[in-house]
Amino acid sequence: MKEIIYRVEVNTKEQLEQAVKIDDFQFIYAPIRLLDGNTPDKFRIIAVPPVYLADCEEKCAKRLGELQSLGFEHGLAHTAGHVHLLKKAGFKVHGGFRLNITNSRAMEFYEEQGISDAVLSLELTMSLAKGIMHNAPVGLIAYGKLPLMITRRCPVKDGKPCNNGTYCGGKITDRKGNELEIICSNTCELLNPDRLILSDRQEDLSCFDFAVLKLAYEENVSEILDMYLESRKPEGRLTRGLYYRGVE
Ligand SMILES: [Zn+2]
């Protein structure tokens, strides 16, 4: 079995501080709000801009330009628009799961746009994901509370939008008593209450060029990585996402 290469996507300052100390991570996806000149290991940081640029494109382009001159080289594209924005700022472009690459033609299209690698769509089954033709490396989201929806207004702060830079760190409870965590930036991302876990599916993960551990508010980064390195499946509720759903 091929060795699995891990990447991590951080959401908090503390997670970033821990992640840069772990050499196992090939790349660290980090929101641009957490990055500055003092961030170590810039060579393996992939700067993540906000998902929606409608109200902040100019500001974001300016910030990306600043980060590029500080020595950051890599950026994450959530959409085709981000590909353009990142290229213009001089970044190497990495495709995120939101590009929703579900077939080989989509992969080819983004390769033509110049992406250096891509995370495949969360909607693919494992066997379809394995069948995607690609020249650039492809990976999967292998861990995390996946987003259920993105809203413009924050359900915690009385419906007022959480502005860029303020993070309510909130959660809401659904009618079944499940706690849905929220990642707030200029949008609010409501997360699935159950974690996607594939730590015991090493054989499948090894078919891809890399596997991404996507963090929300986890406090211990190495604990999550160790679970994968040791192929341990945790107790309690978890989800397999759509990877093993339906007819393959
Ligand atoms: Zn909020």
Side-chain angles (χ1 to χ4, degrees), residues 193-205:
D194 294 328
R195 290 188 299 170
L196 165 75
I197 300 279
L198 298 177
S199 50
D200 55 334
R201 302 291 174 106
Q202 305 277 315
E203 195 87 43
D204 283 335
L205 293 182

Side-chain angles (χ1 to χ4, degrees), residues 89-217:
F91 280 79
K92 284 183 193 127
V93 185
H94 300 258
F97 71 88
R98 288 192 178 88
L99 291 181
N100 210 23
I101 297 174
T102 51
N103 56 47
S104 304
R105 183 64 195 104
M107 186 62 199
E108 195 187 346
F109 170 80
Y110 282 110
E111 283 172 343
E112 284 163 11
Q113 304 305 306
I115 58 165
S116 27
D117 60 39
V119 177
L120 297 175
S121 169
L122 295 169
E123 291 170 20
L124 285 168
T125 60
M126 197 53 86
S127 67
L128 287 173
K130 286 176 189 173
I132 303 271
M133 309 280 286
H134 59 98
N135 293 309
V138 292
L140 282 188
I141 300 283
Y143 167 90
K145 288 183 172 174
L146 304 179
L148 290 174
M149 65 168 92
I150 289 191
T151 63
R152 288 294 280 157
R153 288 175 174 270
C154 175
V156 176
K157 284 171 95 184
D158 269 347
K160 286 175 198 143
C162 273
N163 292 319
N164 226 345
T166 34
Y167 299 93
C168 63
K171 48 182 125 185
I172 56 169
T173 308
D174 72 8
R175 63 194 161 79
K176 288 180 181 166
N178 297 311
E179 279 194 342
L180 283 72
E181 289 178 331
I182 298 165
I183 295 179
C184 257
S185 59
N186 64 338
T187 54
C188 304
E189 214 174 299
L190 253 72
L191 305 180
N192 192 313
D194 294 328
R195 290 188 299 170
L196 165 75
I197 300 279
L198 298 177
S199 50
D200 55 334
R201 302 291 174 106
Q202 305 277 315
E203 195 87 43
D204 283 335
L205 293 182
S206 71
C207 297
F208 299 90
D209 300 301
F210 60 93
V212 183
L213 311 178
K214 181 174 165 46
L215 305 180
Y217 295 101

Side-chain angles (χ1 to χ4, degrees), residues 45-59:
I45 301 276
I46 299 179
V48 181
V51 177
Y52 283 112
L53 297 169
D55 54 0
C56 64
E57 183 167 341
E58 221 169 289
K59 208 172 122 199

